Amino acid sequence: MDICKIPENASKCSGSTMECFMVLSTQAQKISIATLCCLFGTLCVFENSLVLYLIFSSPGTRKKPSYIFISSLALADILASITFVCSFVNFHVFNGTGFSKEAFLLQLGGVNTSFSASLSSLLLTALDRYVSISRPSEYKLLMTRKRAWMALGVLWASCATVASLPLLGWNCCTLDSSCSELFPFVDDNYLSGWVCLTLLLLGCIVYAYAHVLWRARQHVAYMEQQQAQGGKQNTRMRMDVRLAKTLVMVLAVLVLCWSPVLALMICSVFSRLSDRLRKVFAFCSTLCLLNSMVNPIIYALRSKELNSSLRRVLSHFRRQLKASEESPEAESTHRSSVVET
C-alpha cells in the first residue's frame, strides 16, 4: 500500500511521511507559491501595520470600540501573515522536515490562532455594528472601552486554547486515530470540529450583518427625509451606515477567500482527496493571505476617519521630503556666498 496516498495511522506519525504532504511536485509550482506568499504577506504586514499606526496615532479613533476591534483584526492579520508565510514556504517550497511533531504542531497552532482571531475579530466588529444600529441610544453604555478590551482578551485566549489542542494531545499520533490528509499529525475529528466552529462564526457574522443591512436601509430612507435638517444625529447615522457598508465588503471578501479552503477541508473529512485536489488546496490557502491583504484597503477607501489620518500622514511625509530636498540646496547656496565674500 502506498502510504503517501492511503497512510496508515501508525506510519503517519513517522517523520518520513511528512514528505507525503509536500504536494508541489514541480519547480514552477513552488516558485508560484513562494511568489504569492511573499507578495501577499509583505503587502499584508505593511498595510495592517499602517492601519494600526493610523488608529493608535489618533486619539479620536483609538478610544472607539469599533476601531479597537479593527485594530485586533489588523494585528491578527499581521501575525497570520508572518506565521503562515514562514511555515508554509518552508514546508512546501524548501521541503523543510527538520523539526519534530511538537514543533510542527506549534507552528500550525500559531497559524490557527491568528486566522481564528482574525475571524473572531470580524465577529466582534459585526456585533458592535449590530448594537450600534439596533440600540443606538444605549450604545455608549453597552459598548465601553473596558468591555471591548475584555471581549478581545476572551477572544484571543479562546482562539489560542482551541489552536493548542493538537499540541496538547488531540492529534492522531497520540490517540492512534484517523489522520487528516491535508495536515500532518492532525486528527480528522479535530479538523471537522474546527471547520464546524469556523462555519458557526461565519453564520453569526452573516446574521449580524443581515440585520445591520436591513437597519442601514431604514437609516438611508430616514436620512433622505431629514436631509434638509442635517444636524448631529444625521451625521452619526451617516457614519454608522458607511461603516456598516465597509464591514459588509470585508465580509464578502472573507467568504470568497475562505470558501474554497473550507470546502476542501470538509471534503477531506468525508472522502479521500486526489493529489490534484491537494495541490489546489495548497494554492487556495494563499487566498487567506489575500483576504488579510484586502481588508486594510477597504478600510482606507471606506473609513472617513482613517482616510483623513492617512492623508495627514502622507502630507507630513511630503513636507519632510520636500524639506530634506531643499536643505542641501540652501546649504550649498550659503557656502557659495561665503566663498564669494
Side-chain angles (χ1 to χ4, degrees):
M1 181 181 294
D2 188 354
I3 61 174
C4 290
K5 292 183 178 179
I6 309 177
E8 295 292 335
N9 292 335
S11 63
K12 190 87 163 184
C13 300
S14 62
S16 60
T17 56
M18 291 284 287
E19 297 178 357
C20 299
F21 295 89
M22 299 174 183
V23 295
L24 304 181
S25 55
T26 65
Q27 194 68 20
Q29 294 174 353
K30 294 181 180 181
I31 294 176
S32 300
I33 282 287
T35 303
L36 291 175
C37 287
C38 293
L39 177 62
F40 292 162
T42 302
L43 291 176
C44 178
V45 171
F46 172 76
E47 292 170 359
N48 284 285
S49 299
L50 180 61
V51 169
L52 288 177
Y53 174 77
L54 293 177
I55 290 176
F56 288 99
S57 62
S58 174
T61 55
R62 66 169 176 256
K63 294 180 180 180
K64 295 181 178 180
S66 300
Y67 289 102
I68 292 177
F69 296 145
I70 291 176
S71 64
S72 173
L73 175 63
L75 177 62
D77 285 338
I78 290 174
L79 296 178
S81 300
I82 295 174
T83 55
F84 178 84
V85 170
C86 292
S87 60
F88 196 79
V89 171
N90 179 60
F91 185 80
H92 285 288
V93 177
F94 297 106
N95 297 337
T97 57
F99 41 79
S100 62
K101 176 190 71 175
E102 290 74 17
F104 178 84
L105 292 178
L106 181 62
Q107 293 179 9
L108 184 63
V111 176
N112 193 353
T113 299
S114 303
F115 279 123
S116 298
S118 176
L119 182 60
S120 301
S121 297
L122 276 176
L123 175 59
L124 287 182
T125 309
L127 294 177
D128 174 75
R129 291 298 90 202
Y130 178 88
V131 175
S132 176
I133 288 184
S134 62
R135 306 176 70 176
S137 60
E138 304 175 17
Y139 173 75
K140 290 186 177 180
L141 295 176
L142 295 175
M143 196 63 66
T144 62
R145 291 181 62 192
K146 181 179 179 181
R147 290 182 177 179
W149 285 111
M150 289 177 59
L152 288 181
V154 174
L155 179 155
W156 282 88
S158 301
C159 292
T161 300
V162 173
S164 63
L165 290 178
L167 182 62
L168 296 177
W170 192 355
N171 57 76
C172 59
C173 298
T174 303
L175 301 177
D176 193 24
S177 57
S178 176
C179 296
S180 170
E181 290 186 295
L182 298 175
F183 305 99
F185 313 120
V186 173
D187 180 71
D188 261 340
N189 292 327
Y190 172 82
L191 182 61
S192 59
W194 186 87
V195 171
C196 290
L197 179 61
T198 303
L199 293 176
L200 177 63
L201 290 176
L202 284 173
C204 293
I205 296 174
V206 170
Y207 174 80
Y209 278 123
H211 184 82
V212 166
L213 281 178
W214 176 63
R215 292 302 296 267
R217 292 187 63 182
Q218 290 184 332
H219 278 199
V220 170
Y222 177 79
M223 285 187 295
E224 289 177 354
Q225 297 176 357
Q226 303 295 326
Q227 188 173 7
Q229 299 180 6
K232 200 176 215 180
Q233 179 73 13
N234 199 22
T235 303
R236 172 59 188 273
M237 285 193 297
R238 277 199 188 94
M239 182 186 67
D240 287 341
V241 172
R242 184 185 302 111
L243 190 53
K245 291 180 179 179
T246 298
L247 298 176
V248 169
M249 292 173 62
V250 174
L251 176 62
V253 173
L254 176 78
V255 172
L256 290 175
C257 291
W258 276 85
S259 294
V261 172
L262 293 176
L264 289 173
M265 285 184 182
I266 295 174
C267 291
S268 70
V269 173
F270 295 101
S271 62
R272 295 196 176 276
L273 299 180
S274 64
D275 291 341
R276 184 176 181 179
L277 285 179
R278 293 167 68 196
K279 290 180 182 179
V280 171
F281 177 80
F283 279 92
C284 288
S285 299
T286 60
L287 292 176
C288 302
L289 279 180
L290 178 62
N291 170 67
S292 299
M293 185 193 72
V294 170
N295 285 342
I297 299 176
I298 299 177
Y299 302 150
L301 292 176
R302 302 292 300 178
S303 174
K304 184 177 180 180
E305 293 174 290
L306 290 185
N307 208 345
S308 300
S309 299
L310 180 59
R311 284 198 300 268
R312 287 195 299 268
V313 170
L314 293 178
S315 178
H316 179 70
F317 177 75
R318 283 196 297 266
R319 286 197 301 268
Q320 285 188 333
L321 184 62
K322 186 176 180 180
S324 63
E325 291 176 352
E326 292 178 351
S327 58
E329 297 177 359
E331 184 178 355
S332 62
T333 303
H334 175 71
R335 287 182 178 178
S336 61
S337 63
V338 171
V339 171
E340 291 176 0
T341 305

